[in-house]
């Protein structure tokens, strides 16, 4: 016979177990199906473009929802409304975007952070969008981490660009810069002195020619790869990647040792005091592409010439320094020597909010999504 105290203990344990199992059944399901509902409205105040205040529905706008369960992409209806049911209980980051109806160089976008959708709950929210000018070219992927290796090999870095517009763009005279200086001021990519230019240009390389010339077309919906060295890096490091088919490579003509693959076009260095190749920090840096109309790096590049810029870091703790007119947040990047890259969730998806726009890839995708 069990003593009454032992019986009580067993009863208590069983009760705890039952409560635990019941509790588990209320946890969010592990699949992508759930019981939450989210009703979103997306609106746009046209006054900042047209001069007259008018609230307009963002009809047929692309909505991107990101949660621990992955990414959902949907479109709003004619009234700017989107209803999503069967959502797993989770916290969602949401962005919405569409092209301006009359001007392809303007993108309307807005975002909402940490929208909590509970179990069996319906949540409604409204996203207001703002216009952003867009050159149609964005930095689409960055591979900075280096391959899995223990000999500190990271010379297989590349930057991928994407033309999200419907027209041919020209790369002539454009600049790519690493912005990691200005540490004694507000930090890399901040506008020191509030004079409208970003400071801390470490080095910058240029496409041949001058802005406005049309010798180097960048076709609509095309990806191009800018490799540090456009070679097959697997010969140097077996876990690396083949970049010998890259569109461009960074070639520092002042370096005694930089590689020049004759079949890959060169971006050349504009700072004669820099003899290193175009390499970026493995786990945290700022990269920008500009039109090249401002090529005087000493006082920083004029923000109006910046086509796109990305600040990346491995965690959310370091201070973000890139000017918020270029990006409001930063991209989370993979750690050093992981062989991973980070890329926009959709080709060219650029809402100027790096945390929402980018995701880590388990392996790089040079030249494709
Ligand atoms: Ca400045
Ligand atoms: Ca090189
Ligand atoms: Ca070359
Ligand atoms: Ca890619």
């Amino acid at each position: 016979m069990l003593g009454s105290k032992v019986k009580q203990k067993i009863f208590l344990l069983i009760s705890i177990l039952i409560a635990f199992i019941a509790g588990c059944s209320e946890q969010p399901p592990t699949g992508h199906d759930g019981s939450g509902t989210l009703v979103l409205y997306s609106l746009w105040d046209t006054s900042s473009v047209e001069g007259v205040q008018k609230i307009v529905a963002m009809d047929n706008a692309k909505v991107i929802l990101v949660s621990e369960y992955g990414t959902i992409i949907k479109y709003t209806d004619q009234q700017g409304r989107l209803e999503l049911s069967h959502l797993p209980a989770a916290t969602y980051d949401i962005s919405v975007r569409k092209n301006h109806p009359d001007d392809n160089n303007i993108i309307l976008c807005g975002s909402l952070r940490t929208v909590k959708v509970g179990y069996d709950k319906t949540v409604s929210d409204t996203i207001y969008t703002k216009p952003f000018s867009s050159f149609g070219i964005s930095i689409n992927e960055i591979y900075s981490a280096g391959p899995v290796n223990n000999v500190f090999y990271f010379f297989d870095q590349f930057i991928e660009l994407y033309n999200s517009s419907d027209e041919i763009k020209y790369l002539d005279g454009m600049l790519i810069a690493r912005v990691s200086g200005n540490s004694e001021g507000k930090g890399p990519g901040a506008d020191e002195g509030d004079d409208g230019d970003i400071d801390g240009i470490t080095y910058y390389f240029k496409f041949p020619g001058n802005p406005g010339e049309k010798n180097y077309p960048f076709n609509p919906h095309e990806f191009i790869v800018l490799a540090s060295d456009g070679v097959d890096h697997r010969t140097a490091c077996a876990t690396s990647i083949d970049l010998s088919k890259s569109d461009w490579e960074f070639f520092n003509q002042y370096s005694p040792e930089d590689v020049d693959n004759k079949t890959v076009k060169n971006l050349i260095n504009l700072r004669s005091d820099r003899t290193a190749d175009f390499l970026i920090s493995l786990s945290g840096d700022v990269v920008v592409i500009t039109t090249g109309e401002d090529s005087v790096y000493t006082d920083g590049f004029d923000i109006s010439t910046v086509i796109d810029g990305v600040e990346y870091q491995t965690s959310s703790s370091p201070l973000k320094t890139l000017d918020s007119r270029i990006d409001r947040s930063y991209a989370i990047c993979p750690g050093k020597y992981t062989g991973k890259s980070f890329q926009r969730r959709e080709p060219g998806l650029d809402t100027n909010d790096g945390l929402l726009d980018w995701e880590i890839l388990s392996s790089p995708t040079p030249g494709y999504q």
Side-chain angles (χ1 to χ4, degrees):
M1 287 287 283
L2 294 167
S4 65
K5 278 197 174 167
V6 176
K7 276 185 193 166
Q8 269 180 2
K9 272 191 181 168
I10 291 172
F11 179 73
L12 190 66
L13 278 172
I14 289 170
S15 303
I16 291 170
L17 194 63
I18 288 169
F20 179 71
I21 291 167
C24 285
S25 70
E26 284 177 20
Q27 293 296 308
T30 50
H32 291 249
D33 219 17
S35 61
T37 301
L38 181 61
V39 181
L40 285 172
Y41 296 88
S42 184
L43 301 171
W44 166 44
D45 176 355
T46 64
S47 55
S48 51
V49 175
E50 272 79 11
V52 184
Q53 177 149 37
K54 196 171 141 205
I55 304 291
V56 174
M58 287 271 291
D59 59 313
N60 303 314
K62 182 181 276 190
V63 181
I64 298 135
L65 298 97
V66 180
S67 74
E68 60 182 303
Y69 297 102
T71 304
I72 300 170
I73 294 170
K74 298 282 182 186
Y75 288 83
T76 58
D77 64 14
Q78 292 303 312
Q79 282 70 47
R81 183 178 186 275
L82 172 66
E83 180 169 338
L84 291 152
S85 48
H86 307 295
L87 288 176
T91 299
Y92 293 84
D93 289 331
I94 306 162
S95 63
V96 58
R97 68 175 241 147
K98 68 176 276 187
N99 285 348
H100 186 283
D102 307 320
D103 187 343
N104 252 328
N105 294 319
I106 295 175
I107 290 176
L108 306 169
C109 60
S111 58
L112 279 179
R113 286 271 176 78
T114 61
V115 176
K116 289 191 170 57
V117 177
Y119 182 76
D120 262 347
K121 293 280 192 303
T122 296
V123 176
S124 292
D125 221 325
T126 304
I127 302 183
Y128 292 92
T129 62
K130 287 200 290 190
F132 291 91
S133 66
S134 169
F135 286 86
I137 293 176
S138 52
I139 299 170
N140 192 64
E141 181 180 3
I142 294 179
Y143 173 56
S144 60
V148 175
N149 74 98
N150 53 18
V151 293
F152 308 109
Y153 192 86
F154 61 93
F155 308 104
D156 56 352
Q157 291 181 337
F158 71 82
I159 294 165
E160 179 187 76
L161 305 180
Y162 181 70
N163 178 0
S164 58
S165 79
D166 294 325
E167 56 191 45
I168 300 173
K169 302 286 180 181
Y170 292 91
L171 297 164
D172 304 53
M174 285 185 182
L175 306 175
I176 306 275
R178 175 187 180 186
V179 188
S180 56
N182 197 35
S183 53
E184 45 314 308
K186 288 196 272 186
D191 177 7
E192 205 61 42
D194 299 315
D195 56 352
D197 52 38
I198 56 162
D199 297 272
I201 313 298
T202 312
Y203 37 65
Y204 61 118
F205 283 53
K206 82 182 278 287
F207 288 95
N210 299 299
E213 294 174 359
K214 295 189 170 177
N215 295 305
Y216 298 96
F218 187 3
N219 291 317
H221 310 289
E222 183 183 28
F223 297 89
I224 62 169
V225 175
L226 320 178
S228 283
D229 291 325
V231 301
D232 186 351
H233 292 270
R234 296 171 302 183
T235 57
C237 180
T239 50
S240 185
I241 50 175
D242 180 7
L243 292 177
S244 61
K245 304 287 189 295
S246 298
D247 303 279
W248 296 84
E249 64 180 341
F250 294 93
F251 176 67
N252 190 339
Q253 72 280 22
Y254 304 117
S255 163
E257 56 193 16
D258 198 6
V259 182
D260 183 5
N261 178 348
K262 298 296 177 198
T263 66
V264 178
K265 294 186 289 289
N266 293 349
L267 286 133
I268 57 157
N269 174 19
L270 288 189
R271 276 190 68 168
S272 56
D273 60 331
R274 292 282 191 246
T275 55
D277 199 2
F278 189 97
L279 292 165
I280 52 180
S281 168
L282 282 65
S283 58
D285 219 326
V286 173
V287 177
V288 301
I289 175 168
T290 82
T291 63
E293 288 157 302
D294 177 7
S295 60
V296 182
Y297 80 93
T298 43
D299 66 346
F301 288 148
D302 195 321
I303 286 175
S304 67
T305 69
V306 176
I307 292 170
D308 192 20
V310 181
E311 178 163 13
Y312 61 94
Q313 49 198 42
T314 49
S315 79
S316 51
S317 50
L319 194 66
K320 181 240 176 198
T321 57
L322 177 62
D323 191 278
S324 60
R325 286 166 283 186
I326 297 171
D327 199 282
R328 297 195 297 282
S329 60
Y330 47 84
I332 294 285
C333 70
K336 297 175 181 179
Y337 306 115
T338 53
K340 296 179 180 180
S341 71
F342 53 110
Q343 181 168 261
R344 295 191 185 273
R345 293 178 193 278
E346 289 261 284
L349 169 74
D350 185 6
T351 65
N352 290 330
D353 189 346
L355 274 174
L356 283 176
D357 293 345
W358 295 78
E359 64 183 346
I360 290 174
L361 300 184
S362 55
S363 53
T365 58
Y368 60 99
Q369 187 80 7

